[in-house]
Amino acid sequence: MITEFKMPKMGESITEATIISWLKSVGDFVNAEETIVEVATDKVDNDLSSPVSGVITEIRFQKDDVVEVGTVLALINSDGIQEAKSLKDDVAEKSSAMPSKVEVQQPKTNNRQLTTDNFLSPLIISIAQKENLSIEELQSIPGSGSEGRLQKSDVFNYLTNRKYPIQSKPTTDNRQPTSNFPKPKINFVEGKDHIVEMDRMRKMIADHMVYSKHTSPHVTSYIEVDVTNLVNWRNENKDKFQQKYNEKLTFTPVFIMAVAKAIQDFPMINVSVDEKNIIVHKDINIGMATALPSGNLIVPVVKNANEKDLVALAKSVNHLANASRSNTLKPEEIQGSTFTISNVGTFGSLMGTPIINQPEVAILAFGIIKKRPEVITTSKGDEIAIRSMMFLSLSFDHRVVDGFLGGSFLRKVGDYLEQFSSLPPEGEI
């Protein structure tokens, strides 16, 4: 029996994965549930196991190939025990006379379709159509994939440095395109400077950040909030909270609680953009940007944050943070976010200008909490007092979030933090 080994579904929003490496070769015998290939999505890495015991008779994709979910990766012959070496030699002999890759030509149906003799994945074609890239322009982009195959990152890198107007961009007159500005030269000093190649996750982060800036016109608003009451409450209750619930009480679950409540007040901040449509999300799933020991970034998600009390939020935050540091996050734990926060104060930053986590339309950064002398109004009049102050900065997509909505939402988050006694639980832990 020949079994088709397919790229499995690894989450609702994941449609493809990149092959990192094959742990087995054609002709090798594998046991059921034995890992045979490592793949990577734009979220996490995964080890894929053989569904049956048998001999691998064909491998259809190689390292760095991008493969869609449901596509057959390899064939496994599970009929009896075969000699792996002889089968491997036989397959190699047969394959030597065959082309290594099947070339696909995309049908041309109208002016928006692309046609080429080189293989282009459906994802590349979709990006090209959306960005008005001609086939000539696509073919001019160097491919970094197997056998020079064009990858998503190659196209995004090209678009980042693309200069307008260009020949492939629709124009309303016959004016010639302007010349491109030359790429600045990087001075490299032999013996002093050295090169550090980006790892796979850093490359994906870079692609995602460039894509976000290219997609959304970013606007950032700032406010300063007095979190003295919150700081005092946490200092008084963190030890009791730890003893009673066996959970560490950080500021993050309180931040998430305030954001979730503000989203309920302003639901149009909890949306995504699909071409000319605005998708309003009912669930409030808060992503929390988390630094990994490697220095890279990942965004685990607190699902249905508005339905959780402070204890449940603390448990979720602590679990996700620990799983991030130990690289044990599950695929479903980094999917489905509708709004993201970033605690830049962890690194001592006063404030930040965060980049939107696509396909969301806003991201909120929390700065460091610092004690400062501030003028406050009391029953006796204006006085100077030592207060714990913090900057909040909201980056939002100006396509669908205007200044009034962005500013109102940001101010509401600040109000909830300043009036912490109005957030459950009140009083003693």
Side-chain angles (χ1 to χ4, degrees), residues 6 16 24 56 118 184 204 217 232 344 362 366 368 388 404 406:
K6 299 181 178 180
E16 63 181 18
K24 297 291 183 178
I56 299 175
N118 297 324
M204 289 194 299
N232 291 340
V344 299
F366 294 86
I368 191 173
S388 295
F404 175 78

Side-chain angles (χ1 to χ4, degrees), residues 368-426:
I368 191 173
I369 299 174
K370 291 182 69 71
K371 289 184 177 181
R372 289 206 309 271
E374 291 289 325
V375 177
I376 62 173
T377 301
T378 69
S379 58
K380 299 178 182 179
D382 292 342
E383 295 182 356
I384 295 178
I386 302 299
R387 308 296 291 178
S388 295
M389 307 298 295
M390 177 175 64
F391 284 103
L392 305 184
S393 49
L394 178 75
S395 292
F396 54 88
D397 186 339
H398 215 350
R399 291 178 300 171
V400 293
V401 180
D402 56 26
F404 175 78
L405 173 58
S408 299
F409 169 78
L410 182 59
R411 185 61 262 172
K412 181 60 71 171
V413 175
D415 291 344
Y416 282 132
L417 293 176
E418 289 183 335
Q419 303 160 5
F420 180 71
S421 60
S422 65
L423 294 176
E426 298 179 359

